């Protein structure tokens, strides 16, 4: 192995951990940059990854993390610092790095956006701007744009609570449709690109789940899996937004809460061309 085989993964969340698992299974050397040396960091360290502490918004910590790295997976939790982090990574990688590929996590909504569009949320706009910065950097970039994660609290933690209480999924999405994708599938895609990046540089990969569904169909899937009746209840956005206990139960940050609310208020195009009346693809930290 030469230093250029080394891959830097930012974050030890669900997608990041999945990428590390697949790369280490192929004996690819991996360095993981985390802000805290916590249980998630311990799990990737147990896989054989080198764990370093750092902050994507601080170039003095990004530069040493990039030393000897040939490929990088860049991802940020839902954060107002997303654009700053992308700019820091791009500038440091240009000056100090020798990257053969930089795989950036974005989101499907970016595919529908332009320089002057206004329907998107602020977080979605940050993703669009971050993609522009990475493209302008001249680095060998690959953009990954998944739809909403099937594993996020909108489809897991929040429904689990109301299903237990009264057999319902309570969300403000009306008859809108989306095609959620599993974290595992996204991690597999990122790892595949990082193992052999050259054919993928300059490409954008839009990732969807196997089919497009509305929330009624999703409730039917829950019902079938659980062997008990589960129904979807559409609620007004204001009522959903005021359910602060739901947010705390889901473990989302204040910024992530605001992002989800803005998405629910506005609506976003789905790959199938339909629209969530109040949309979904905002991702918690991964």
């Amino acid at each position: 192995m030469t230093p250029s085989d080394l891959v830097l993964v930012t974050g030890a969340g669900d997608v990041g951990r999945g990428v590390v698992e697949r790369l280490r299974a192929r004996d690819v050397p991996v360095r993981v940059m985390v802000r805290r040396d916590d249980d998630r960091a311990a799990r990737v360290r147990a896989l054989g990854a080198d764990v370093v502490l750092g902050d994507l918004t601080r170039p003095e910590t990004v530069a040493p993390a990039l030393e000897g790295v040939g490929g990088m997976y860049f991802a940020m939790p839902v954060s107002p610092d997303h654009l700053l982090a992308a700019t820091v990574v791009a500038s440091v990688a240009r000056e100090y790095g020798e990257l053969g590929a930089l795989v950036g996590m974005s989101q499907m909504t970016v595919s529908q956006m332009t320089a002057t569009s206004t329907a998107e949320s602020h977080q979605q706009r940050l993703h669009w701007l971050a993609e522009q910065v990475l493209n302008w950097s001249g680095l060998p970039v690959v953009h990954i744009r998944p739809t909403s994660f099937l594993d996020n609290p909108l489809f897991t933690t929040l429904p689990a609570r109301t299903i237990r209480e009264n057999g319902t999924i309570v969300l403000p999405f009306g008859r809108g449709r989306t095609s959620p994708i599993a974290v595992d599938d996204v991690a597999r895609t990122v790892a595949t690109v990082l193992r052999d990046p050259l054919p993928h540089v300059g490409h954008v990969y839009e990732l969807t789940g196997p089919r497009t569904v509305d929330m009624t169909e999703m409730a039917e899937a829950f019902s079938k899996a659980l062997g008990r009746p589960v129904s979807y209840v559409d609620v007004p956005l204001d009522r959903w937004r005021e359910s602060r206990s739901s947010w705390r139960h889901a473990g989302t940050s204040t910024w992530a809460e605001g992002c989800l609310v803005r998405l629910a208020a506005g609506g976003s195009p789905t790959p199938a061309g339909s629209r969530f009346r109040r949309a979904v693809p905002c991702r918690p930290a991964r």
Side-chain angles (χ1 to χ4, degrees), residues 144-162:
I144 305 294
R145 296 177 183 169
T147 56
S148 52
F149 283 128
L150 184 61
D151 316 63
N152 81 29
L154 289 173
F155 303 127
T156 55
T157 311
L158 296 180
R161 186 170 63 89
T162 53

Side-chain angles (χ1 to χ4, degrees), residues 15-94:
V15 174
R17 185 173 67 251
V19 172
V20 174
E21 288 174 353
R22 284 160 178 78
L23 293 177
R24 292 301 302 137
R26 300 292 187 95
D27 291 325
V28 176
V30 179
R31 177 180 296 153
V32 181
M33 180 179 178
V34 298
R35 295 190 67 178
R36 292 178 296 276
D37 197 348
D38 54 15
D39 290 344
R40 296 190 303 178
R43 285 193 288 270
V44 295
R45 187 182 285 113
L47 295 169
D50 174 33
V51 176
V52 298
L53 295 179
D55 184 334
L56 289 170
T57 66
R58 295 174 57 196
E60 69 274 17
T61 67
V62 174
L66 275 170
E67 185 176 353
V69 168
M72 179 179 182
Y73 168 57
F74 166 71
M76 277 281 286
V78 174
S79 167
D81 290 331
H82 186 94
L83 178 58
L84 172 59
T87 305
V88 167
V89 166
S91 60
V92 172
R94 276 177 55 89

Side-chain angles (χ1 to χ4, degrees):
M1 289 288 181
T2 64
S4 62
D5 294 318
L6 179 62
V7 172
L8 175 63
V9 173
T10 61
D14 294 346
V15 174
R17 185 173 67 251
V19 172
V20 174
E21 288 174 353
R22 284 160 178 78
L23 293 177
R24 292 301 302 137
R26 300 292 187 95
D27 291 325
V28 176
V30 179
R31 177 180 296 153
V32 181
M33 180 179 178
V34 298
R35 295 190 67 178
R36 292 178 296 276
D37 197 348
D38 54 15
D39 290 344
R40 296 190 303 178
R43 285 193 288 270
V44 295
R45 187 182 285 113
L47 295 169
D50 174 33
V51 176
V52 298
L53 295 179
D55 184 334
L56 289 170
T57 66
R58 295 174 57 196
E60 69 274 17
T61 67
V62 174
L66 275 170
E67 185 176 353
V69 168
M72 179 179 182
Y73 168 57
F74 166 71
M76 277 281 286
V78 174
S79 167
D81 290 331
H82 186 94
L83 178 58
L84 172 59
T87 305
V88 167
V89 166
S91 60
V92 172
R94 276 177 55 89
E95 186 169 349
Y96 295 102
E98 298 180 357
L99 291 179
L102 193 163
V103 181
M105 176 61 67
S106 187
Q107 58 177 248
M108 181 70 77
T109 312
V110 171
S111 306
Q112 307 290 336
M113 293 168 61
T114 68
T116 57
S117 57
T118 58
E120 63 275 355
S121 74
H122 182 60
Q123 184 67 32
Q124 291 167 337
R125 174 55 55 176
L126 292 180
H127 276 277
W128 188 89
L129 290 169
E131 282 199 16
Q132 310 313 305
V133 167
L134 294 178
N135 290 339
W136 296 336
S137 73
L139 294 167
V141 175
V142 182
H143 296 297
I144 305 294
R145 296 177 183 169
T147 56
S148 52
F149 283 128
L150 184 61
D151 316 63
N152 81 29
L154 289 173
F155 303 127
T156 55
T157 311
L158 296 180
R161 186 170 63 89
T162 53
I163 288 173
R164 283 196 303 268
E165 291 174 353
N166 52 36
T168 64
I169 297 174
V170 182
L171 289 168
F173 298 146
R175 292 177 293 178
R177 305 176 70 83
T178 190
S179 181
I181 185 169
V183 163
D184 189 62
D185 291 330
V186 177
R188 184 182 299 111
T189 301
V190 173
T192 298
V193 171
L194 285 168
R195 284 201 308 270
D196 184 22
L198 188 59
H200 306 285
V201 170
H203 287 258
V204 174
Y205 293 110
E206 298 178 346
L207 309 181
T208 73
R211 63 193 183 101
T212 303
V213 296
D214 61 19
M215 291 307 302
T216 297
E217 292 170 297
M218 191 167 288
E220 291 170 355
F222 271 98
S223 181
K224 182 178 179 179
L226 296 171
R228 54 178 287 198
V230 177
S231 59
Y232 170 57
V233 177
D234 185 39
V235 294
L237 174 62
D238 288 345
R239 175 180 161 191
W240 184 64
R241 181 172 51 197
E242 291 167 1
S243 300
R244 302 298 292 181
S245 61
S246 295
W247 298 117
R248 289 193 296 270
H249 185 78
T252 55
S253 67
T254 301
W255 177 265
E257 292 172 18
C259 178
L260 289 167
V261 167
R262 285 191 297 274
L263 285 168
S268 296
T270 68
S274 58
R275 297 180 68 89
F276 260 131
R277 172 166 59 84
R278 299 176 286 260
V280 172
C282 181
R283 303 187 314 282
R286 294 293 179 195

